[in-house]
Amino acid sequence: MSGSTHLHFDTEYVAAATSHARALGVEIVMPVQSEQWFTIRDPDGNVLMICRC
C-alpha cells in the first residue's frame, strides 16, 4: 500500500485543544495555523490534525 491516510478531529475550540494537548505533553508537529488547525503526533508516530472544519 502506498500513499498516506489523513485523519482529523473536529473541534470548535482550537485554542483550548492546543492548550490541553501541551498540558498533556503531546508533541505539537505544526502549531496553530490561521486559528483553524494544528497537528500532533500520537504515541504510534501518526500525525493527526485537530481543526475547526
Side-chain angles (χ1 to χ4, degrees):
M1 177 182 238
S2 63
S4 63
T5 300
H6 179 85
L7 180 63
H8 74 268
F9 296 92
D10 293 332
T11 182
E12 292 184 29
Y13 308 102
V14 173
T18 304
S19 296
H20 185 69
R22 284 194 177 119
L24 292 174
V26 173
E27 177 187 353
I28 305 291
V29 176
M30 176 73 68
V32 175
Q33 303 294 307
S34 303
E35 299 181 8
Q36 296 292 315
W37 63 275
F38 66 101
T39 58
I40 61 172
R41 189 172 317 276
D42 75 8
D44 292 323
N46 301 300
V47 176
L48 308 172
M49 177 184 280
I50 313 300
C51 66
R52 183 178 321 147
C53 300

